[in-house]
Every structure is written in C-alpha cells, then in structure tokens.
Amino acid sequence: MSRTCELTGKKAMSGNNVSHAKNRTKRRFLPNLNNVTLTSEVLGRDFQLKVSASALRTIDKVGGLDSFLRKSAIDNLSSNAMKIKKDIEKIEVEKASN
C-alpha cells in the first residue's frame, strides 16, 4: 500500500535538497504515518488504520473516530475508512428511526 493517510489523504510530496552551493537534487517529503488501532464507539469495534500524526491529533480534538468520520469528506478517505463511515451512518439512521 502507498504511503498515504487513510483518513486525510495526505501523501508524499516532492521537492529538492538544496546544497550550500545551490545544487539541487530531487527528494521526497513523507508524511508521519503510524499504524494505529482506533475504536468506534458506535460500532463497538476496533479498526487498524495507517494514520498521520496530525490526523491523530485532530481525532482527539474532535472527540473520537466516529465524529471525525462524520465530518470528513468522502474524497479524502480510503476504501476501508469509507466502509467504516457508511456503517456508522447506517447505525445512526437506525437509532434515529427507533
């Protein structure tokens, strides 16, 4: 799998190493990715995701994986994260109808 965050879509960027003599060589700026187990309170399950450190801080700030996925756009999410989001929405709709 490529080096992309499953929740925010962050991926490697390219740029230059610039020496003192202004010689330029190509390099890659990689995101700070961590393999993390996150718990969904609505589903009551744990999920293993490859997530950037900034996304982890945002998840803590927003109040958990469920609320983060509710607010996130579908374009940035991986296929695994989209499934989790759809399952959460499905259960919330069922709870609202009861």
Side-chain angles (χ1 to χ4, degrees):
M1 190 174 182
S2 63
R3 292 186 177 138
T4 60
C5 175
E6 293 190 57
L7 298 179
T8 60
K10 280 189 176 189
K11 45 186 161 179
M13 295 172 50
S14 64
N16 291 311
N17 275 333
V18 181
S19 71
H20 185 69
K22 303 291 190 227
N23 298 329
R24 287 170 167 81
T25 56
K26 281 292 185 186
R27 64 163 289 184
R28 291 177 61 186
F29 295 93
L30 299 176
N32 184 8
L33 295 178
N34 301 303
N35 290 321
V36 180
T37 302
L38 297 170
T39 303
S40 169
E41 294 160 5
V42 174
L43 299 175
R45 290 178 28 207
D46 294 340
F47 298 97
Q48 284 193 331
L49 299 170
K50 191 184 280 189
V51 180
S52 65
S54 62
L56 278 176
R57 287 194 303 271
T58 307
I59 289 169
D60 286 340
K61 181 180 179 181
V62 171
L65 178 65
D66 301 332
S67 56
F68 178 85
L69 287 174
R70 263 187 237 115
K71 294 181 180 182
S72 61
I74 293 178
D75 340 340
N76 301 332
L77 299 176
S78 68
S79 58
N80 189 17
M82 275 193 283
K83 276 188 219 170
I84 298 168
K85 180 176 178 153
K86 287 180 183 176
D87 290 344
I88 290 171
E89 289 173 349
K90 212 182 285 183
I91 288 180
E92 288 177 344
V93 167
E94 289 173 4
K95 283 183 181 177
S97 64
N98 289 335

